[in-house]
Amino acid sequence: MTKAERMAAIEQLKLTLNEQHVSEDDDEYKVEPQPGLTDQQIDNLAQKLLKYAGGFEFYGLGEVTFDGVGQSGFQEY
């Protein structure tokens, strides 16, 4: 993933923070980000997660892969 692709993905995520969402039960909510991970936490997560699965099929949304942006059902994010 290039730096431009990473920045575009981050900007898309930031845009969702200003949006009002509605659940299936008509409850309104906003997306609230959690604090970012440390480099060590990222490395540990990547080692455990990527050895387990390189992605998954999320029925209703499509395939989600962890090997690149633009290859999942979440391209807009």
Side-chain angles (χ1 to χ4, degrees):
M1 175 188 305
T2 68
K3 183 176 180 179
E5 289 172 325
R6 283 192 304 273
M7 294 305 296
I10 290 169
E11 290 306 314
Q12 287 294 320
L13 285 171
K14 286 180 180 179
L15 288 174
T16 66
L17 300 179
N18 297 321
E19 296 176 4
Q20 190 73 26
H21 303 276
V22 179
S23 73
E24 292 177 355
D25 297 326
D26 290 328
D27 294 325
E28 293 184 359
Y29 65 94
K30 285 191 169 189
V31 174
E32 295 183 24
Q34 299 292 316
L37 301 176
T38 66
D39 288 341
Q40 183 64 45
Q41 289 172 314
I42 292 169
D43 290 343
N44 289 340
L45 176 63
Q47 287 179 1
K48 291 176 184 175
L49 178 64
L50 298 180
K51 286 182 181 179
Y52 176 73
F56 56 92
E57 182 70 28
F58 194 42
Y59 297 101
L61 292 177
E63 183 180 48
V64 176
T65 61
F66 303 131
D67 61 353
V69 171
Q71 299 176 10
S72 73
F74 298 108
Q75 290 93 328
E76 65 272 16
Y77 299 109

